[in-house]
Every structure is written in C-alpha cells, then in structure tokens.
Amino acid sequence: MRVSSQGVTVVALLADPDTPTEIAQRMAQILSTRLADKSGQGRRFDVEVVSEPFTAGTEDPPTLMRRIMDRGRAENWDIVVALTDLPLHSHGRKLVVDLSHEHGLALLSLPPLGGLRLQTRARRAVEEAVLSLSGPRATGAGGPPQSQPLLGPFVSRLAPVHPGPVGEEETADLRYVVSGPRGYLRVLVGMVRANRPWRLVPGLSKALAAALATGAVATVNSTIWGLAEYLSAPRLVIAMVGSVGLMVGWLIVDAQLWHRSTEVSPEARQRARLYNASTVMTVGIGVLVCYGGLIVINLVWALFIINGQVFASVTRTPLHAAEYLTLSWFVASVATVGGALGSGLESDEAIRAAAYSKREQERRHMLQDDHGD
C-alpha cells in the first residue's frame, strides 16, 4: 500500500481544464470519505485537485504516463489519477484506463464512460483505481497485483471492456480498452458529451440573429402562409431535414471543422473518422436545439401578430392550433436557412469555441500549427 509517513494517503486528481476539472472538483467533495469507507482498516485519504493541461501536445498514453509520473514526483503525492476528455488510443484500441501500481499512477479517459451519468461513472472509476493502487502489492514478476479484478464501473453490455496489451518499456503495468462497434459508439457519445453541443446555441449570436429576423419576416408573409397550408407532413419533414443539414454542412465547411489526417496509418484514419463523426453529431445536436427554439419563438410570434380573418381570407382555411403549429414548423425551416447564411458572419474561432471542448480546441490548434509548419 502506498501511504505517506503521516498515515494519510495523498491522492491528486490531475485534471485537464474544462469538463475534467469540473468533474474532479465535484467528486473531491466526497471522495475522501468514500475511499475511507471502502478501504476500511482505518485508512485516511486526502484528495487534492490540480487543473492543468497535462495532455498538451500529445495523445500518446505512454508519453502521458511519463508526464504524470514526473509531475507526481515533484509533489508530495502518493497516488495520481489523471483525467482527460480526449479519446486516447493504444495499439489500435480505445483506451479506458492505464494503471501503474509501481508508481501509483492512473490515466483515465472520460469518453469511454459514455454520455449519461458521467459524474457518477467517473467517480466510481476513480474510486476503483485509487483502491487498486493503494491495495496490497501481491504481484507477479514485475506485473500488476494478480488479484486485481476487472474495474467494475467499466463493465457493461454496451461497452465490452477487456485488458489491453502493454509494452515492456511502458510505465503502465495494467491497461483496459474498449473495442468493436459498441465500444466505438460509447466513445463517440462520450466525445459529443464532452463537447457540450448545447453551447452552440449562445455561441452563434450572428447566425441566431439572422434566423430570428428571417423567421419574423416569414411569419407575416402571405406566400409562406399558403405554402405552409398546402405542404404535407412528409414535405415539412424534408424541409426540416434539408434546412438542418444545410446549416450543419455550412458550419463545418465554413469554419473548417472537418479533420483531415496527414498520416496514412489505419489507426490515424480511425481517429479521423471518430473525430469527424463527433463533429457532425455535436453540430447536428446544437442545430436541432436551435431549430426547436425557433419553432417555439415563431409560434409565440404568430400567436401575437397574425389576424385570423386575414389568414383565412388568404388561405381559405380557418386559423386553428394545427395551422399555427404547421406555420411555425415551416417558418423554422426557412429561418434555419437564413441562419446558415448569417453564420458566415461568425469568425471561425467563435464557431470552434461553441462546438468544441477546450482540450479539443487546443488539439486542433496544434494540428493546424503542425500543418502550417
């Protein structure tokens, strides 16, 4: 067991900025007590949270483990658990956690935990990692403790977790990875969760202003009334899908969000597909949130401004709830196209800041600098 001379095991949560730091700070409030209760034997734990970009410039797990080890040696820490919201890869597989029982280190990648109940899953994963690192050192020849079970929080029918290969020269002595379509899906959902797609709404102020202006004008346009009244439900759905797709495509192309790998290895191509899929899902969810908001705003505006007699004289249809909803739905599609045009006024940096987490922004800045060199 790793324990300081004062009888207290000092646990450092080394977290990347943004989401990992927020998760670490919340779990630190109860982690000491939970670890003491689970470990038993009167053990005490002191938990510290350190926020710094320890993944800057690299996504290589062995390199990150060496950084964590050097950082831990410089401080009075017994155990270091590092958290990042970047998806990490090892030998073509998606890394969940690296453990080094010899040095008391753990590297946890948050995306494989999925997008739901992330705080709870991350806390349980950290608890299991700390208890594993602080437990009895009944090891084999240079390996991890032989009695260590598969980490419970990672086991799921939706993401088959299994031990991964560890190189002889690596700091880690135990590694868990996910693979296959189900593991890919869970990592993808976790990446989208880390990007927080709902932040796209306030981040595109100029596009939203253009969409709202377009919607306000279209709502009082008699031609739009006629079109909305005679469009069938399938055509309204096609208009919605087309306008949302146009907005998503325009944002990705205009802000250069599409990731193109300069490497030709299968692993590099796999990473590029994963990043691009997360980009499409992140932007798509953000645009759908905007679209829903536009329907509500257009509905309120229509209820306030449209005169039922004028509407009936133009469309020869009484103005009831169904007509209000149909008109608001169609106007949202028209307004979304206007918003796509207005997004051209946004800076690329503003769109990236709205679409990506802080660490993902820094990763893409690094790739752009490398390409520029």
Side-chain angles (χ1 to χ4, degrees):
M1 170 186 175
R2 300 179 63 88
V3 60
S4 64
S5 59
Q6 290 81 14
V8 178
T9 301
V10 180
V11 179
L13 300 181
L14 183 63
D16 265 335
D18 206 17
T19 300
T21 295
E22 295 174 5
I23 290 176
Q25 289 174 340
R26 284 195 291 267
M27 76 169 65
Q29 299 175 5
I30 59 174
L31 189 58
S32 298
T33 302
R34 290 181 62 88
L35 288 173
D37 292 341
K38 287 190 173 185
S39 64
Q41 301 178 359
R43 298 180 183 177
R44 292 184 298 161
F45 294 84
D46 183 18
V47 178
E48 302 177 8
V49 177
V50 179
S51 178
E52 61 181 52
F54 69 93
T55 58
T58 184
E59 300 176 43
D60 179 52
T63 301
L64 293 175
M65 287 293 282
R66 289 193 294 270
R67 285 185 180 181
I68 298 167
M69 182 173 61
D70 293 340
R71 187 70 175 86
R73 286 175 176 173
E75 302 289 343
N76 187 29
W77 299 334
D78 300 305
I79 293 175
V80 183
V81 180
L83 294 84
T84 180
D85 55 0
L86 286 181
L88 303 176
H89 297 77
S90 174
H91 302 281
R93 300 174 177 86
K94 297 161 191 67
L95 176 71
V96 181
V97 63
D98 263 357
L99 297 170
S100 173
H101 293 83
E102 179 182 358
H103 301 97
L105 309 175
L107 171 61
L108 176 64
S109 177
L110 296 177
L113 301 182
L116 300 177
R117 302 176 64 235
L118 180 59
Q119 180 69 42
T120 300
R121 289 175 174 174
R123 190 200 70 230
R124 291 176 178 173
V126 170
E127 289 174 0
E128 293 292 332
V130 172
L131 293 175
S132 173
L133 295 173
S134 64
R137 295 282 306 282
T139 64
Q146 296 175 346
S147 62
Q148 288 301 326
L150 189 68
L151 298 184
F154 302 123
V155 179
S156 170
R157 291 184 299 104
L158 300 179
V161 176
H162 54 85
V166 180
E168 295 182 359
E169 303 299 325
E170 294 189 38
T171 304
D173 51 37
L174 187 60
R175 170 174 293 152
Y176 289 106
V177 297
V178 293
S179 58
R182 289 177 294 174
Y184 179 93
L185 178 61
R186 188 158 186 173
V187 173
L188 179 60
V189 172
M191 292 175 65
V192 174
R193 168 64 174 78
N195 286 336
R196 301 178 181 180
W198 52 88
R199 296 190 307 184
L200 195 67
V201 179
L204 300 177
S205 57
K206 295 183 177 64
L208 284 175
L212 291 172
T214 302
V217 173
T219 300
V220 297
N221 186 287
S222 59
T223 303
I224 296 294
W225 295 353
L227 287 173
E229 186 61 30
Y230 289 102
L231 284 176
S232 62
R235 290 192 176 186
L236 287 170
V237 171
I238 292 173
M240 178 184 70
V241 173
S243 62
V244 170
L246 177 63
M247 181 72 158
V248 171
W250 178 257
L251 287 173
I252 292 175
V253 172
D254 185 56
Q256 300 178 359
L257 303 182
W258 197 255
H259 175 69
R260 293 181 175 86
S261 177
T262 57
E263 303 178 30
V264 296
S265 65
E267 186 172 339
R269 290 197 296 268
Q270 184 186 51
R271 286 200 303 267
R273 288 194 295 268
L274 185 64
Y275 282 123
N276 288 330
S278 71
T279 295
V280 172
M281 288 186 63
T282 298
V283 178
I285 292 173
V287 172
L288 283 174
V289 172
C290 292
Y291 190 93
L294 287 172
I295 291 179
V296 173
I297 294 173
N298 292 332
L299 178 60
V300 173
W301 176 239
L303 288 170
F304 174 76
I305 201 69
I306 295 179
N307 181 276
Q309 293 181 347
V310 175
F311 183 90
S313 66
V314 172
T315 64
R316 302 185 184 279
T317 303
L319 184 59
H320 299 305
E323 283 68 35
Y324 276 117
L325 291 173
T326 300
L327 177 62
S328 301
W329 186 6
F330 181 57
V331 168
S333 298
V334 175
T336 300
V337 175
L341 299 176
S343 67
L345 301 175
E346 303 278 4
S347 68
D348 293 350
E349 291 299 323
I351 296 176
R352 293 192 189 101
Y356 293 131
S357 67
K358 184 177 180 64
R359 296 301 303 131
E360 179 63 7
Q361 293 176 52
E362 293 175 355
R363 188 190 70 83
R364 289 177 178 259
H365 278 307
M366 181 188 69
L367 289 176
Q368 287 183 342
D369 293 341
D370 291 343
H371 294 165
D373 295 339

